[in-house]
């Protein structure tokens, strides 16, 4: 039988650091709330006051989460760096998106990317996209982002799971509610600094605990093959370069269909700043992935040098939180635990605000177009509060059910439901012939093919997105050629890459 993992209780100094961290987040929300917001567009896009570099950091914070904080070091602790290819695949795709497609969307003066779908296809496609976006982010990603760090911290520090969830949920909801998008951006900047600063401090302690420091980490990791990064094998079940090539193609439109990410570029002053935001956000994301991978290798070298410090029975995803709780001094532990909370809260606040934007701009805009600005702002605040509360309740419920073994399947389900929808944006931007009826066929086909892929094959999960998007594109385009388009005639000027207008 494995020995139980002994939890180290946080010190008073650690709790003081955490309290300071949460207090600063609330303070930023209060500071941003003092600025007048005369419209819902201001509440969702910051009224043109957002610096592009801050939007880029927020882009990174939105794409990164507590899952990355724990899962990437755990992966390279256990194996090697073969999965590193996912980082440049996504980043290069994102940079390409920034310079090819972002300008087109930015010139349309949108609040959400789903507004593009209404102009290019029809209102039903817009509402389908918005509904899937809410379902996947609020019911799916938010609960997982909150629960996984809470479980890890409970394992290694004894910090109550429900207390962690409620702290993240309540504080994030309050500052997002009061300060709107502007508060989300500036808390993301703070949280990214805390997260990356905490990781840097932890790496310093790892190196100090090994004879030879960073040089010894590089030497030991290289000798053990821990830095193996590239595989050219023709194997679709493993993280090979061919799999990442497919991931790159799938990622091209995945970012475009992600409202929390694209909201950052929509909030910038002009097209040039929008492109910079997306490009820099992806560069920071790729660089941070390399850092997180190196943390896992450093942990492996550290515990190989000190095997007596690593208990049996420790869950792999808890390896980095375990090091934080047991190898670092009081105060520093609180700072880096704050970094773990920050990784979760950056993603949470972005999803909360973007969900409110979808509800007000897409749903209320379509179903109650005569609503006044005060009514729109009231719905925005109500949606923000309900979204944060629902995610907190869902994460707490899953913690109570103790269903950790379902995480992988749960995430597979999320990928299954919405994985192909970015293909709708590809059909809209790249073709003139695609129409609403055809793309609905494409979405349904992508769900069916992805379900078969997951059930009947051992294809690498890195390739699932590409297959889903490609299926949506192929079936959607063919169906658009075969099926009648319907009565609506769409003026495509400025809506495809072939018909762009300059402003």
């Amino acid at each position: 039988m494995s020995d139980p993992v002994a939890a180290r209780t946080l010190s008073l100094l650690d709790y003081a650091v955490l309290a300071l961290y949460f207090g600063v987040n609330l303070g930023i929300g209060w500071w941003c709330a003092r600025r007048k917001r005369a419209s819902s567009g201001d509440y969702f896009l910051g009224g043109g006051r957002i610096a592009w570099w801050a939007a880029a950091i927020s882009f990174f914070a939105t794409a990164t989460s507590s899952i990355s904080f724990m899962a990437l070091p755990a992966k390279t602790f256990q194996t090697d760096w073969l999965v590193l290819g996912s980082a440049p695949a996504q980043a290069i795709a994102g940079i390409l998106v920034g310079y090819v497609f972002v300008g087109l969307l930015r010139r349309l003066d949108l609040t959400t990317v789903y507004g593009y779908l209404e102009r290019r296809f029809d209102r039903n496609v817009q509402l389908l996209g918005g509904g899937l976006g809410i379902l996947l982010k609020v019911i799916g990603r938010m609960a997982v982002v909150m629960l996984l760090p809470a479980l890890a911290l409970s394992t290694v520090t004894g910090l109550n799971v429900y207390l962690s969830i409620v702290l993240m949920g309540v504080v994030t909801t309050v500052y997002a509610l009061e300060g709107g998008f502007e508060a989300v951006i500036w808390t993301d900047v703070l949280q990214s600094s805390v997260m990356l600063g905490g990781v840097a401090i932890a790496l310093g302690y790892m190196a100090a605990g090994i004879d030879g420091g960073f040089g010894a980490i590089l030497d030991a990791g290289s000798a053990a093959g821990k830095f193996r990064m590239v595989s050219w094998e023709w194997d679709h079940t493993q993280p090979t370069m061919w799999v990442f090539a497919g991931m790159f193609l799938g990622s091209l439109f995945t970012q475009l269909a992600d409202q929390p990410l694209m909201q950052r570029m929509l909030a910038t002053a002009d097209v040039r700043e929008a492109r910079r935001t997306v490009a820099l956000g992806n560069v920071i994301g790729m660089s941070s992935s390399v850092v997180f991978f190196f943390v896992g290798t450093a942990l492996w070298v550290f515990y190989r040098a000190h095997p007596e410090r690593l208990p049996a029975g420790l869950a792999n995803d808890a390896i980095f939180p375990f090091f934080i709780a047991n190898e670092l001094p009081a105060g520093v532990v609180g700072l880096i635990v704050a970094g773990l909370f920050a990784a979760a809260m950056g993603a949470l606040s972005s999803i909360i605000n973007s969900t409110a934007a979808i509800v007000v701009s897409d749903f209320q805009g379509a179903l109650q177009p005569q609503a006044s600005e005060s009514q729109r702002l009231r719905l925005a605040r109500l949606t923000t509060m309900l979204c944060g509360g629902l995610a907190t309740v869902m994460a707490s419920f899953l913690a109570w059910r103790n269903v950790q073994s379902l995480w992988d399947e749960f995430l597979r389900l999320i990928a299954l439901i919405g994985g192909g929808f970015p293909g709708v944006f590809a059909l809209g931007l790249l073709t003139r012939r695609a129409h609403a009826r055809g793309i609905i066929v494409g979405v349904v086909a992508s769900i069916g093919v992805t379900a078969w892929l997951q059930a009947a094959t051992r294809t690498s999960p890195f390739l699932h997105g590409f297959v889903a998007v490609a299926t949506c594109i192929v079936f959607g385009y063919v169906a658009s050629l075969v099926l009648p388009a319907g009565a609506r005639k769409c003026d495509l000027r400025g809506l495809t890459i072939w018909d762009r207008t300059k402003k």
Side-chain angles (χ1 to χ4, degrees):
M1 175 179 290
S2 300
D3 296 331
V5 177
R8 169 182 166 180
T9 304
L10 297 181
S11 69
L12 289 177
L13 182 57
D14 295 322
Y15 283 114
V17 171
L18 287 174
L20 176 62
Y21 164 74
F22 285 118
V24 172
N25 277 276
L26 292 173
I28 292 174
W30 173 81
W31 175 71
C32 293
R34 297 178 62 190
R35 298 172 181 262
K36 293 182 179 180
R37 288 182 297 275
S39 69
S40 56
D42 192 17
Y43 190 82
F44 299 134
L45 297 177
R49 294 186 295 268
I50 307 302
W52 71 267
W53 58 266
I57 295 173
S58 180
F59 186 104
F60 155 71
T62 301
T64 306
S65 72
S66 51
I67 300 172
S68 301
F69 193 100
M70 296 187 304
L72 297 187
K75 185 68 175 178
T76 51
F77 175 84
Q78 188 177 35
T79 59
D80 50 32
W81 284 40
L82 276 183
V83 294
L84 178 65
S86 62
Q90 292 175 303
I92 295 171
I95 293 170
L96 184 61
V97 163
Y99 283 93
V100 177
F101 300 108
V102 158
L104 185 155
L105 294 177
R106 185 64 184 78
R107 294 185 187 100
L108 295 177
D109 193 26
L110 303 170
T111 300
T112 77
V113 291
Y114 303 115
Y116 166 80
L117 299 180
E118 193 278 333
R119 299 190 192 185
R120 176 62 180 84
F121 297 111
D122 62 23
R123 183 169 295 171
N124 292 329
V125 177
Q126 175 192 22
L127 297 182
L128 174 62
L132 281 175
I134 293 173
L135 176 67
L136 300 179
K137 298 296 185 181
V138 177
I139 306 300
R141 189 174 183 226
M142 285 183 69
V144 174
V145 163
M146 295 173 75
L147 182 54
L148 289 183
L151 289 173
L153 289 173
S154 175
T155 299
V156 301
T157 69
L159 190 63
N160 185 270
V161 171
Y162 302 103
L163 176 62
S164 296
I165 291 171
V166 170
L167 279 173
M168 285 186 283
V170 170
V171 173
T172 303
T173 301
V174 168
Y175 72 68
L177 176 69
E178 293 300 319
F181 184 73
E182 194 171 7
V184 171
I185 291 290
W186 291 112
T187 51
D188 280 352
V189 172
L190 166 70
Q191 290 156 0
S192 297
S193 301
V194 171
M195 177 179 64
L196 295 178
V199 170
I201 292 171
L203 275 172
Y205 275 94
M206 290 177 208
I210 301 169
D211 290 338
F214 284 107
I217 294 173
L218 293 172
D219 292 341
S222 298
K226 299 290 286 184
F227 290 112
R228 186 169 66 114
M229 302 179 190
V230 177
S231 171
W232 293 98
E233 296 181 16
W234 287 97
D235 187 348
H236 65 279
T237 68
Q238 299 298 320
T240 65
M241 294 303 294
W242 313 110
V243 166
F244 292 130
M247 184 182 185
F248 160 77
L249 295 173
S251 297
L252 280 173
F253 294 96
T254 300
Q255 286 196 27
L256 274 178
D258 193 315
Q259 169 60 20
L261 291 179
M262 291 297 102
Q263 195 168 346
R264 273 86 197 128
M265 71 87 180
L266 293 174
T268 54
D270 52 39
V271 171
R272 182 183 181 189
E273 291 195 358
R275 287 172 173 157
R276 286 179 172 181
T277 294
V278 175
L280 180 59
N282 277 283
V283 169
I284 297 172
M286 181 173 63
S287 303
S288 70
S289 294
V290 174
V291 173
F292 283 128
F293 283 134
F294 186 77
V295 167
T297 303
L299 285 168
W300 180 84
V301 175
F302 180 89
Y303 282 116
R304 194 178 73 156
H306 308 286
E308 73 285 355
R309 300 186 188 181
L310 185 64
L314 181 68
N316 195 50
D317 282 347
I319 184 65
F320 191 24
F322 177 83
F323 174 86
I324 293 168
N326 290 273
E327 302 295 343
L328 303 181
V332 175
V333 173
L335 176 63
I336 304 182
V337 169
L340 181 53
F341 280 130
M345 292 167 65
L348 289 174
S349 61
S350 300
I351 295 171
I352 289 173
N353 187 264
S354 66
T355 298
I358 294 169
V359 170
V360 172
S361 180
D362 295 307
F363 284 89
Q364 187 182 38
L367 304 177
Q368 194 183 8
Q370 74 281 6
S372 66
E373 277 302 324
S374 62
Q375 290 174 315
R376 290 164 67 85
L377 276 170
R378 187 160 54 248
L379 180 59
R381 293 171 65 85
L382 177 61
T383 303
T384 297
M385 185 169 58
L386 291 177
C387 179
L390 178 60
T392 302
V393 170
M394 179 65 69
S396 300
F397 172 73
L398 293 176
W400 175 71
R401 290 291 304 272
N402 194 30
V403 291
Q404 300 98 304
S405 61
L406 296 181
W407 293 150
D408 289 343
E409 294 304 316
F410 188 64
L411 294 176
R412 281 162 59 92
L413 177 63
I414 297 301
L416 170 67
I417 294 173
F421 197 83
V424 173
F425 284 85
L427 287 166
L429 290 162
L430 297 179
T431 75
R432 298 187 182 100
R433 299 293 300 273
H435 55 69
R437 292 177 179 176
I439 65 99
I440 295 297
V441 173
V443 171
V444 173
S446 73
I447 293 174
V449 171
T450 306
W452 169 82
L453 187 76
Q454 293 181 351
T457 75
R458 296 176 56 247
T459 301
S460 170
F462 292 113
L463 203 55
H464 290 184
F466 166 71
V467 173
V469 172
T471 301
C472 182
I473 292 173
V474 172
F475 279 82
Y477 188 73
V478 172
S480 294
L481 296 178
V482 174
L483 298 175
R488 184 189 182 194
K489 300 298 182 182
C490 180
D491 182 358
L492 296 180
R493 285 177 297 179
L495 297 178
T496 75
I497 64 170
W498 319 114
D499 302 280
R500 285 189 285 190
T501 59
K502 300 289 185 182
K503 290 186 181 180

